[in-house]
Amino acid sequence: MRIDAKIIGITTAKIVVAIEKIIVFFYFLYIINKQQATFRKFFTIILDFLIGFKDLSAEKRSPFYDSGINHTQSIEYDELAQIFSHIKLSKNDVFVDIGCGRGRVINYLLLPQFKGEIYGIEIDPEIALFTQERLKKYRAIILCGDALQRVPLNATILFLFNPFNSAELMRRFIDLIEEEYIELKLIYYYPKFLSCFTERPRWECTERRINSHARNHYISCAFLSYKKQWNL
């Protein structure tokens, strides 16, 4: 009995579409019930496992903490939903998560099928390998190394969840951006060193309060944009 390759292709495509619909269903079900702790914990597990089939909640002390790198931790999905409600992404965007950890931000982008390029940069080799293996079947590239050296030059949006514990390191990172990019958008959640940006004339900043149900308080999120000024 011969099975037409075209039929197999159509069947596979239908399965993929069905899986995508299930993912989107769970995603929106989570958002609807995000304020209820029991629902939030349950759907966090579901959403973690839908992309990459791993638990992303574990924290890890950074082996580079004394060098200015913060520990590994994940943002809650309901916090991400609030953050991304304030910014519009397009298929032409190149999104880079600085200090991506286990990759929950990337999960969040893959769930509603963001069509742009996605990168994660993680300096901890153990965590980077975990995330590379977890997402190897998805359209996300995980780079292991120092963000000061690995940020793709075609990036349009950077995401930072307080990756640095040193103002000096943050200023070096900003120097890199101003040297390499003509314009760029940046999302800075829990912006401990926001003044490192606002003290510079080329950056525009808008702050929003994000309701963290898991932490039971509000967290600031800064939406920044940079545009190079040419000296004529």
Side-chain angles (χ1 to χ4, degrees):
M1 178 181 176
R2 290 185 60 190
I3 300 176
D4 194 324
K6 185 181 290 187
I7 294 175
I8 294 176
I10 293 172
T11 303
T12 303
K14 288 182 178 179
I15 292 172
V16 170
V17 170
I19 292 173
E20 288 179 348
K21 288 181 178 179
I22 292 171
I23 289 173
V24 172
F25 169 76
F26 276 112
Y27 168 76
F28 283 109
L29 196 59
Y30 170 85
I31 298 304
I32 291 170
N33 293 283
K34 64 187 178 183
Q35 294 188 17
Q36 301 181 41
T38 302
F39 277 107
R40 188 172 62 246
K41 291 177 181 178
F42 173 73
F43 286 117
T44 294
I45 295 171
I46 295 294
L47 294 174
D48 278 352
F49 275 73
L50 280 173
I51 302 289
F53 207 70
K54 295 286 184 181
D55 175 23
L56 309 181
S57 60
E59 299 185 2
K60 180 179 183 288
R61 180 175 176 79
S62 173
F64 303 96
Y65 185 81
D66 292 338
S67 300
I69 306 299
N70 270 329
H71 308 310
T72 297
Q73 56 182 320
S74 294
I75 306 177
E76 297 294 323
Y77 284 105
D78 65 309
E79 295 167 32
L80 289 169
Q82 294 174 71
I83 291 169
F84 283 98
S85 70
H86 294 293
I87 188 167
K88 185 176 180 180
L89 302 178
S90 79
K91 63 181 181 180
N92 298 317
D93 278 317
V94 178
F95 184 95
V96 184
D97 186 0
I98 305 297
C100 67
R102 301 181 191 278
R104 186 174 281 166
V105 174
I106 295 173
N107 263 35
Y108 181 86
L109 292 177
L110 291 172
L111 286 166
Q113 303 168 39
F114 167 61
K115 301 300 182 184
E117 295 181 50
I118 303 173
Y119 291 85
I121 301 177
E122 176 55 49
I123 196 171
D124 185 332
E126 178 185 338
I127 298 296
L129 180 60
F130 169 90
T131 309
Q132 286 170 344
E133 287 295 311
R134 190 179 71 79
L135 297 175
K136 62 185 178 183
K137 295 182 180 179
Y138 298 90
R139 345 172 255 101
I141 299 173
I142 308 302
L143 305 173
C144 181
D146 186 345
L148 296 179
Q149 301 173 1
R150 300 304 304 270
V151 180
L153 293 179
N154 62 336
T156 61
I157 298 178
L158 304 184
F159 186 95
L160 285 76
F161 176 29
N162 192 30
F164 310 126
N165 61 42
S166 159
E168 178 185 354
L169 191 57
M170 178 60 84
R171 289 191 177 96
R172 287 172 55 199
F173 180 73
I174 299 171
D175 288 341
L176 169 71
I177 294 174
E178 294 186 346
E179 180 181 343
E180 298 289 349
Y181 296 91
I182 295 175
E183 59 181 324
L184 194 72
K185 292 181 180 178
L186 189 147
I187 304 169
Y188 187 10
Y189 190 47
Y190 200 89
K192 183 177 180 181
F193 301 115
L194 183 58
S195 62
C196 294
F197 291 92
T198 56
E199 67 190 12
R200 303 186 182 213
R202 299 176 183 177
W203 290 87
E204 294 184 1
C205 174
T206 300
E207 281 191 82
R208 303 291 185 188
R209 297 175 72 211
I210 305 302
N211 189 357
S212 174
H213 297 97
R215 298 171 177 83
N216 200 31
H217 62 82
Y218 284 87
I219 298 175
S220 176
C221 185
F223 296 85
L224 297 129
S225 60
Y226 166 78
K227 192 168 184 178
K228 188 182 290 290
Q229 298 173 355
W230 301 100
N231 295 322
L232 300 177

